Amino acid sequence: DGDRALFTVSDDGAGMSPEILEKVRGGMFSTKGSKGTGLGLAIVRTIVENYGGRVEVASEAGQGSVFSVFLPDAAGAGELAL
Protein backbone atom coordinates (compact mmCIF):
# COMPACT_ATOMS: atom_id res chain seq x y z
CA ASP A 1 0.00 0.00 0.00
CA GLY A 2 2.88 2.37 -0.73
CA ASP A 3 4.85 4.09 1.99
CA ARG A 4 2.74 3.21 5.00
CA ALA A 5 3.30 1.88 8.48
CA LEU A 6 0.98 -0.82 9.76
CA PHE A 7 0.24 -2.04 13.23
CA THR A 8 -2.39 -4.52 14.33
CA VAL A 9 -4.14 -5.40 17.55
CA SER A 10 -5.76 -8.80 17.71
CA ASP A 11 -7.43 -11.07 20.21
CA ASP A 12 -8.71 -14.61 20.34
CA GLY A 13 -11.97 -13.66 22.04
CA ALA A 14 -15.57 -14.23 21.03
CA GLY A 15 -15.28 -12.27 17.79
CA MET A 16 -18.24 -10.53 16.16
CA SER A 17 -21.04 -11.62 13.88
CA PRO A 18 -21.33 -9.87 10.50
CA GLU A 19 -24.25 -7.81 11.87
CA ILE A 20 -22.27 -6.57 14.90
CA LEU A 21 -19.19 -5.97 12.76
CA GLU A 22 -21.19 -3.63 10.48
CA LYS A 23 -22.40 -1.67 13.52
CA VAL A 24 -18.83 -1.38 14.82
CA ARG A 25 -17.64 -0.11 11.44
CA GLY A 26 -20.42 2.47 11.46
CA GLY A 27 -19.11 4.06 14.65
CA MET A 28 -20.60 5.01 17.99
CA PHE A 29 -21.43 1.39 18.88
CA SER A 30 -20.27 -0.67 21.84
CA THR A 31 -20.31 -4.42 22.30
CA LYS A 32 -20.03 -3.78 26.07
CA GLY A 33 -23.63 -2.66 26.59
CA SER A 34 -24.02 0.02 29.28
CA LYS A 35 -20.34 -0.33 30.23
CA GLY A 36 -19.16 1.11 26.91
CA THR A 37 -19.68 4.42 25.15
CA GLY A 38 -18.82 3.47 21.59
CA LEU A 39 -16.35 6.35 21.43
CA GLY A 40 -13.04 4.45 21.42
CA LEU A 41 -12.87 3.25 17.83
CA ALA A 42 -14.62 6.40 16.56
CA ILE A 43 -11.94 8.58 18.19
CA VAL A 44 -9.10 6.39 16.91
CA ARG A 45 -10.54 6.38 13.40
CA THR A 46 -10.90 10.19 13.40
CA ILE A 47 -7.32 10.75 14.55
CA VAL A 48 -5.87 8.21 12.12
CA GLU A 49 -7.86 9.59 9.17
CA ASN A 50 -6.80 13.16 10.04
CA TYR A 51 -3.22 12.00 9.50
CA GLY A 52 -4.01 10.35 6.18
CA GLY A 53 -4.38 6.82 7.48
CA ARG A 54 -7.16 4.31 7.84
CA VAL A 55 -8.44 1.70 10.30
CA GLU A 56 -9.70 -1.72 9.22
CA VAL A 57 -11.57 -4.25 11.35
CA ALA A 58 -11.85 -7.97 10.65
CA SER A 59 -13.71 -10.38 12.88
CA GLU A 60 -15.52 -13.68 12.82
CA ALA A 61 -17.80 -15.02 15.53
CA GLY A 62 -15.87 -17.47 17.69
CA GLN A 63 -12.52 -16.53 16.12
CA GLY A 64 -11.55 -13.17 17.65
CA SER A 65 -10.94 -9.80 16.03
CA VAL A 66 -8.13 -7.93 14.27
CA PHE A 67 -7.88 -4.12 14.17
CA SER A 68 -5.35 -2.83 11.64
CA VAL A 69 -4.12 0.77 11.61
CA PHE A 70 -2.39 2.04 8.46
CA LEU A 71 -0.46 5.31 8.76
CA PRO A 72 1.52 7.28 6.18
CA ASP A 73 5.26 6.80 6.40
CA ALA A 74 6.52 9.68 8.54
CA ALA A 75 9.57 10.12 6.31
CA GLY A 76 7.34 11.23 3.45
CA ALA A 77 4.67 13.01 5.50
CA GLY A 78 6.68 15.75 7.13
CA GLU A 79 6.46 16.53 10.83
CA LEU A 80 3.31 15.40 12.62
CA ALA A 81 2.03 17.44 15.56
CA LEU A 82 0.69 15.20 18.30
Side-chain angles (χ1 to χ4, degrees), residues 53-80:
R54 71 179 190 278
V55 177
E56 295 181 0
V57 183
S59 187
E60 189 174 327
Q63 302 297 313
S65 302
V66 178
F67 293 81
S68 300
V69 177
F70 297 83
L71 294 169
D73 182 4
E79 190 171 324
L80 299 178

Side-chain angles (χ1 to χ4, degrees), residues 8-78:
T8 61
V9 177
S10 63
D11 66 38
D12 58 359
M16 295 178 267
S17 69
E19 296 80 21
I20 297 295
L21 187 56
E22 281 306 309
K23 290 180 181 180
V24 167
R25 287 180 177 144
M28 301 302 295
F29 176 78
S30 176
T31 60
K32 298 179 181 91
S34 64
K35 294 182 180 182
T37 62
L39 289 173
L41 184 58
I43 291 170
V44 168
R45 182 175 281 132
T46 298
I47 292 168
V48 169
E49 288 176 353
N50 282 342
Y51 283 101
R54 71 179 190 278
V55 177
E56 295 181 0
V57 183
S59 187
E60 189 174 327
Q63 302 297 313
S65 302
V66 178
F67 293 81
S68 300
V69 177
F70 297 83
L71 294 169
D73 182 4

